Amino acid sequence: MSMTVTELPHKEQALFRSALKLYEASQYKKGLKVSDQILKKFPDHGETLSVKGMFLAHLERKEEGYELMERGLKINPQSSISWHVYGLVCRSDKKYAQAIKCYEEALKADSENMHILREVASLYVQMRQYSKAVECREKLVAMNPFFPSFWLGLATTHHMNGRYDLAIKVISAHESGNNQPPLDKYQISELSLYKNWLIELNGDYQQALDHLKEIRPQIVDITGWKEKKARLLLKADRKEAAATAFQDLLERNSENDDYITGYMECNGLDMKCDEDQDAVLEVIGTLQQQFPSSNRLRFLPLMYSTGDNFVVAAESLAKYALRKGIPSLFSSVRVLYADKVKGAALGTLIESCATQIRDTKRFSDSTDDEPASVLLWCNYYLAQHYDYYGDHERALTLIEEAIRSSPKTIEPYMIKARILKHAGDFRGARDTMDYARQQDVGDRYLTTKFIKYMLRVNEVDEAEKTYLLFVNEDAPHKIQEIVNMQATWYMNERGHAFRRMGDIGRALKHYHQAIGVFDTYQDDQYDFHQYSVRKVTLRSYIDILQWETTVYENPAYQTAARAAAECYLELADRKAAGNAFVPIEVEKDDKPLTRNGSAQQGQHNLAAGVGETKVYDVEKDPNGTKFVESDNLAEALKLAEHLESVAASNPDTHVLAFEVHLRMQKYFLVLKAINALKAIDATHPALPSMVVRLSQALDTDESFAAPLKVPLRAQLAKAFGAVDITTGADESIDSVLAAAKSMLAMGDGDQAAALLVQTPEAKYVEGRTLLKLLEVKRLLAKSGADESTQAAFGAAAKTVFPLATCF
């Protein structure tokens, strides 16, 4: 028969309570010893076994810990403590769904346990199970109606569950109660603005305005209060009063787009409507007179004007920026280049300005000579203009002129490096960016750009040494510090470099580091479920929850996940072909490294840090062996399925899902991926080859049941008809790449090579980029094409990018 804690002798009960206190104090080794003391006398005490398992799990003996906790539950399956302990460990290991099940079991035995209710409510919010979270928090409020965070937690849960009316009632009940401890003035201000937001979301704008007026004396965030007033007046259709409110906000910050857009709406204007553009320009002109120093108002006329009016507005902005020496002029107007007419007009305008300065040293409408730097910034802009249009030789000529006129100005060197990169001279770009960095070694932006350029020429070790400039000298573990910085751009670029070098293991390691950053973002919100309601930062908390639901939509995550899945597919293909990838051993450098890469007596190497002997996760598997030796297709499937859930609108997601499911012979899922891609883009270049590959797989796979092939073939025939793998390959380089990849997958390297070598021809000029030609080069090598064919392609590619050194 099982024994509960209360049935233990008094001495052992005291020891058990002390073990729990040691857990709360994170003294796991001492807690383990105390647990062993109890188990010496009562070796089958289930709750102590569970607590011991919890200590072991936190001491990196997880397998043993889980075994003990499960054993404790078998002995006493009704124990609230054992289930609670198991839930704590699962939560610590990010197994949130399993932790919820444990807490629910614990509540069956102890339904009034406030600690368990609080924790499971946070887990419900973490997993977006808001209805269950409401039930838990309603129970907490009933148990202790004088605790403010219980009320506020319930209100935010109603909010996320879409019940704004109930959230308002909860806040009102909280305000009328005798809550301890009392809120300070900042918390009262935040709570008042949060309640007003709820009233607004509930659709009662006049009530929200009345409430906003009522709470004004309590508000500390004056700007936030003014923004709400302006927005509510506009929603309540009190446009004249709203215009005055937005005018007040513009006096505070005339660069804010929301204020400008709101002011336009007060005047009955939609900035996105073509019919309103003349009136919009008139209002912008009025605002410019009121706020002449606003850069945003100076730029906006370019967005909405056309023809001669556009040239006049652009000339005003350009001359102002050129005289001021604003390097970001091109970056500011680049969005206008989507309109070919405006892009050409901007280039013509700056060319005219440069000619005037060269000939007369002044603009045509000026009587005074302009500073010599104006010509520098004209050439600086024009270099970027021609680089945008792919005229790299002209761009280089202009940027060299800019450098000669002011050799100590750093910005032209950065643009020169970018032009060389776009032209295909990656080594020259790297060297130029290095020169720019050397002019100001303390500039972190320059150092970051230099690291990127080094990684693009596969200088992974040198890039890491440079990155150490961002790490403190006394950091105990420098490589771990690099990972902890969560610089996903660095992780992805480093992964790409290793992938180009053929080191798939280390590439996967870095891609998974980038993926882990977003997993950390997702996990870190857990701490805010209780912290934010306790600190009454409710508006920010709701923003965090809403942002967290879209965190995996970030391009950096999708890049890392797709690249990792592609690496797993390559590993699986190599295993299937009998040419399994062997992890490449990392060369160990016994010479100690410092931040500048030089050796100094007494310093430890990067892996160990200063006086550090602990082995960190980042160094346990330097070659990425665990990723290489994993079930590659299963890992690729996990990534593809997650991308399908978070990035279903991205065509690349479904192309990846197709590749994974086809290799796993899940043909109905293959068809699903094809149909999903077609729904997004019926003209996607990969569709014809995907259909052909599925048809071929159905013809050749004898293990797949013949009756199931009939509906699949019928659906393909109905949706696509007769399809050729080279459909579109006569005019689109994207279609060539898609067809060639499929041909290689089907083992037809010769046909793929014959298709790929045509890409430098003039008929593929539309959409042809340097990166696409580099992909052609990679596929050509993979096809087994002979050296003469590859050399011929390289020579032809050089005619398209004459400055390139990468062919």
Side-chain angles (χ1 to χ4, degrees):
M1 184 175 177
S2 62
M3 177 186 291
T4 64
V5 171
T6 54
E7 293 172 328
L8 284 173
H10 180 73
K11 179 181 177 181
E12 279 67 29
Q13 285 187 41
L15 286 173
F16 190 89
R17 287 192 292 271
S18 69
L20 296 180
K21 289 181 180 178
L22 288 169
Y23 170 76
E24 292 173 358
S26 300
Q27 297 183 26
Y28 305 129
K29 291 183 179 179
K30 290 183 179 179
L32 184 61
K33 291 180 180 178
V34 172
S35 301
D36 284 333
Q37 283 183 262
I38 301 172
L39 291 172
K40 283 181 181 178
K41 291 186 177 180
F42 303 96
D44 292 327
H45 186 246
E47 291 170 336
T48 304
L49 285 170
S50 295
V51 170
K52 180 180 178 180
M54 176 177 65
F55 285 125
L56 289 172
H58 283 84
L59 290 169
E60 302 301 323
R61 295 163 63 182
K62 291 188 181 295
E63 187 175 345
E64 188 179 350
Y66 274 102
E67 287 178 1
L68 278 179
M69 288 186 291
E70 289 168 4
R71 183 180 158 199
L73 283 169
K74 285 180 181 178
I75 293 173
N76 191 352
Q78 306 301 320
S79 168
S80 171
I81 291 175
S82 294
W83 282 112
H84 189 186
V85 164
Y86 203 163
L88 285 171
V89 175
C90 289
R91 190 198 73 190
S92 176
D93 290 342
K94 319 300 183 188
K95 300 175 182 177
Y96 299 122
Q98 190 173 346
I100 286 174
K101 292 178 182 178
C102 294
Y103 283 126
E104 288 173 343
E105 290 293 330
L107 287 171
K108 290 178 182 178
D110 188 2
S111 60
E112 303 296 319
N113 190 307
M114 196 174 297
H115 294 293
I116 298 176
L117 284 168
R118 289 178 68 179
E119 289 170 14
V120 76
S122 296
L123 283 169
Y124 284 139
V125 175
Q126 181 82 7
M127 300 300 288
R128 303 301 187 259
Q129 298 177 18
Y130 295 120
S131 297
K132 290 184 177 180
V134 166
E135 293 176 13
C136 280
R137 286 180 166 166
E138 283 178 339
K139 195 167 186 177
L140 286 168
V141 167
M143 291 169 62
N144 188 349
F146 303 110
F147 199 53
S149 66
F150 290 171
W151 288 95
L152 301 183
L154 178 58
T156 57
T157 309
H158 278 311
H159 181 160
M160 293 304 295
N161 204 32
R163 293 301 307 270
Y164 309 123
D165 54 334
L166 295 179
I168 294 167
K169 289 180 181 179
V170 170
I171 295 292
S172 298
H174 163 70
E175 290 175 332
S176 62
N178 181 23
N179 299 292
Q180 296 295 331
L183 304 179
D184 62 35
K185 64 178 183 179
Y186 299 102
Q187 293 173 329
I188 292 171
S189 171
E190 177 66 22
L191 182 59
S192 299
L193 286 172
Y194 177 64
K195 182 179 180 180
N196 188 265
W197 184 23
L198 289 170
I199 298 171
E200 177 189 354
L201 290 172
N202 204 37
D204 194 339
Y205 304 131
Q206 187 56 51
Q207 183 186 347
L209 279 168
D210 296 339
H211 178 259
L212 197 66
K213 183 178 180 180
E214 177 187 332
I215 64 175
R216 175 62 183 84
Q218 304 171 351
I219 300 304
V220 177
D221 180 6
I222 303 301
T223 300
W225 186 88
K226 287 177 177 288
E227 288 174 346
K228 283 195 108 3
K229 178 184 176 183
R231 185 169 63 246
L232 287 168
L233 286 168
L234 183 58
K235 288 184 175 181
D237 204 28
R238 295 169 57 181
K239 293 184 178 179
E240 187 174 341
T244 302
F246 278 113
Q247 181 83 18
D248 182 29
L249 288 168
L250 283 167
E251 289 175 1
R252 284 173 166 258
N253 181 7
S254 60
E255 306 290 344
N256 190 303
D257 270 345
D258 291 337
Y259 299 168
I260 297 170
T261 302
Y263 187 79
M264 292 293 177
E265 291 177 3
C266 294
N267 288 275
L269 301 174
D270 183 353
M271 297 179 75
K272 296 179 181 179
C273 178
D274 293 339
E275 296 176 357
D276 290 347
Q277 289 192 1
D278 290 339
V280 166
L281 285 169
E282 185 178 343
V283 174
I284 290 174
T286 303
L287 290 174
Q288 279 184 302
Q289 293 176 2
Q290 297 177 32
F291 309 105
S293 63
S294 171
N295 289 322
R296 189 59 184 165
L297 288 171
R298 192 177 285 111
F299 170 75
L300 281 176
L302 277 70
M303 294 286 292
Y304 303 105
S305 58
T306 56
D308 293 340
N309 291 334
F310 172 79
V311 174
V312 171
E315 185 174 9
S316 173
L317 173 66
K319 288 180 178 178
Y320 170 81
L322 293 171
R323 285 169 174 149
K324 287 283 188 180
I326 299 175
S328 60
L329 174 60
F330 182 82
S331 299
S332 299
V333 301
R334 180 170 178 159
V335 64
L336 301 172
Y337 276 68
D339 184 329
K340 293 182 180 180
V341 175
K342 288 185 176 182
L346 286 167
T348 302
L349 172 64
I350 305 298
E351 287 276 18
S352 175
C353 290
T355 300
Q356 293 170 30
I357 297 299
R358 287 193 189 96
D359 294 345
T360 65
K361 296 185 179 180
R362 66 186 64 172
F363 294 124
S364 58
D365 60 349
S366 176
T367 57
D368 299 325
D369 289 352
E370 301 294 342
S373 61
V374 171
L375 183 58
L376 160 68
W377 297 114
C378 283
N379 289 328
Y380 181 81
Y381 180 97
L382 288 170
Q384 296 173 82
H385 171 83
Y386 285 109
D387 179 49
Y388 179 88
Y389 286 114
D391 190 349
H392 303 121
E393 292 174 286
R394 173 68 173 149
L396 276 176
T397 300
L398 287 163
I399 204 64
E400 290 287 6
E401 184 179 340
I403 290 172
R404 285 194 298 272
S405 65
S406 182
K408 293 186 178 180
T409 303
I410 296 175
E411 285 83 0
Y413 293 102
M414 297 172 62
I415 297 303
K416 180 182 178 182
R418 183 190 299 171
I419 294 167
L420 289 171
K421 179 188 74 172
H422 293 165
D425 185 0
F426 298 138
R427 173 61 59 179
R430 177 252 185 234
D431 293 342
T432 303
M433 188 59 73
D434 187 24
Y435 182 84
R437 182 183 73 95
Q438 295 295 342
Q439 308 311 301
D440 186 0
V441 293
D443 190 314
R444 285 181 168 238
Y445 177 75
L446 286 171
T447 302
T448 297
K449 296 297 289 185
F450 177 52
I451 291 169
K452 280 187 177 181
Y453 279 63
M454 279 197 290
L455 288 172
R456 285 170 183 161
V457 293
N458 301 338
E459 293 183 352
V460 289
D461 293 333
E462 293 79 357
E464 182 174 86
K465 292 175 184 178
T466 307
Y467 199 97
L468 287 172
L469 292 170
F470 299 140
V471 178
N472 290 333
E473 280 278 7
D474 57 352
H477 191 281
K478 292 181 169 59
I479 301 301
Q480 186 65 44
E481 282 294 310
I482 290 176
V483 176
N484 292 344
M485 287 183 186
Q486 298 185 327
T488 53
W489 66 266
Y490 176 75
M491 296 168 183
N492 280 337
E493 288 288 350
R494 195 167 167 84
H496 297 337
F498 280 120
R499 192 177 175 191
R500 285 191 298 268
M501 296 163 65
D503 193 341
I504 303 176
R506 294 176 76 185
L508 277 169
K509 178 178 178 179
H510 290 286
Y511 289 139
H512 276 284
Q513 286 176 356
I515 291 168
V517 169
F518 293 92
D519 292 337
T520 300
Y521 292 160
Q522 188 76 5
D523 293 332
D524 282 351
Q525 67 176 303
Y526 182 86
D527 295 329
F528 291 95
H529 299 319
Q530 293 185 29
Y531 174 85
S532 294
V533 293
R534 189 171 70 248
K535 293 295 185 181
V536 202
T537 56
L538 304 181
R539 292 182 298 163
S540 298
Y541 173 58
I542 297 298
D543 287 342
I544 286 175
L545 291 181
Q546 292 172 342
W547 175 79
E548 287 283 2
T549 60
T550 62
V551 67
Y552 288 111
E553 295 176 14
N554 189 292
Y557 169 78
Q558 294 185 35
T559 296
R562 278 198 305 272
E566 289 167 1
C567 286
Y568 281 124
L569 291 178
E570 184 177 348
L571 290 172
D573 290 345
R574 292 183 62 165
K575 286 179 183 177
N579 181 30
F581 174 80
V582 178
I584 301 172
E585 290 294 327
V586 177
E587 293 184 8
K588 294 183 179 180
D589 186 359
D590 295 330
K591 182 187 289 186
L593 294 172
T594 65
R595 290 179 68 187
N596 60 10
S598 60
Q600 289 186 5
Q601 183 69 26
Q603 284 198 307
H604 294 257
N605 61 31
L606 294 177
V610 180
E612 180 64 65
T613 57
K614 180 181 177 181
V615 178
Y616 286 79
D617 288 340
V618 75
E619 67 182 353
K620 286 180 179 177
D621 184 20
N623 308 323
T625 303
K626 73 173 183 178
F627 302 114
V628 174
E629 295 179 350
S630 65
D631 185 340
N632 301 144
L633 285 180
E635 293 299 321
L637 180 63
K638 289 178 188 176
L639 293 166
E641 288 179 338
H642 192 242
L643 284 170
E644 285 181 301
S645 67
V646 300
S649 61
N650 189 332
D652 292 338
T653 295
H654 304 293
V655 175
L656 175 64
F658 167 87
E659 296 289 350
V660 175
H661 295 315
L662 187 65
R663 286 166 174 80
M664 300 184 78
Q665 299 173 311
K666 297 180 178 180
Y667 299 124
F668 283 98
L669 292 178
V670 172
L671 180 61
K672 178 185 174 184
I674 293 173
N675 288 332
L677 179 59
K678 183 183 178 183
I680 297 171
D681 181 4
T683 62
H684 194 281
L687 275 173
S689 56
M690 291 165 71
V691 172
V692 171
R693 288 176 65 189
L694 175 55
S695 298
Q696 187 202 52
L698 292 174
D699 291 339
T700 58
D701 188 354
E702 296 180 359
S703 64
F704 191 65
L708 295 177
K709 295 181 180 181
V710 175
L712 284 169
R713 289 197 178 102
Q715 290 191 46
L716 283 176
K718 181 179 178 181
F720 300 97
V723 177
D724 187 89
I725 196 170
T726 59
T727 300
D730 288 338
E731 54 189 25
S732 167
I733 191 170
D734 292 318
S735 296
V736 170
L737 289 170
K741 289 176 182 177
S742 292
M743 290 171 183
L744 290 172
M746 294 188 294
D748 193 349
D750 292 340
Q751 189 178 355
L755 199 59
L756 291 166
V757 293
Q758 302 175 32
T759 50
E761 295 177 7
K763 63 181 179 180
Y764 294 111
V765 65
E766 188 69 28
R768 182 172 55 200
T769 65
L770 176 69
L771 293 179
K772 288 176 184 177
L773 285 180
L774 287 173
E775 178 68 0
V776 170
K777 178 186 175 183
R778 184 186 72 83
L779 293 174
L780 202 56
K782 187 177 179 181
S783 73
D786 56 46
E787 292 184 5
S788 61
T789 301
Q790 295 187 50
F793 166 77
K798 286 275 289 182
T799 64
V800 180
F801 290 94
L803 300 177
T805 59
C806 52
F807 294 114

